[in-house]
Amino acid sequence: MEEKSEINEHEAEELIKGMGRIATVVVHDNGLVRATAISTNPSDQRIQNEVDGLLHDIQKKYRIVKKRKS
């Protein structure tokens, strides 16, 4: 099985931005990755669903890791 390349939270946010949506990406201490859509209409669940789908697509190719502290 091929190992996935690693990207950090900011790089994942930039990929989502390149796909037409703006979101914040957080990697929790337990490894869970969440993306929260940033929208002018936060009550529009459709946008969050799109961001969830984009995150899923990114995770097929990359392993998202916490941003390393300098």
Side-chain angles (χ1 to χ4, degrees), residues 24-41:
T24 58
V25 176
V26 176
V27 177
H28 296 275
D29 290 336
N30 65 1
L32 177 68
V33 180
R34 298 198 119 180
T36 303
I38 298 173
S39 169
T40 57
N41 184 2

Side-chain angles (χ1 to χ4, degrees), residues 6-23:
E6 287 186 357
I7 61 172
N8 66 36
E9 297 153 314
H10 178 71
E11 291 167 320
E13 291 171 357
E14 290 299 314
L15 285 172
I16 290 172
K17 186 176 182 180
M19 296 174 179
R21 289 288 173 213
I22 300 173

Side-chain angles (χ1 to χ4, degrees), residues 21 34-37 39-53:
R21 289 288 173 213
R34 298 198 119 180
T36 303
S39 169
T40 57
N41 184 2
S43 65
D44 187 351
Q45 188 59 37
R46 180 184 54 87
I47 295 171
Q48 181 62 49
N49 290 342
E50 287 178 19
V51 166
D52 290 341

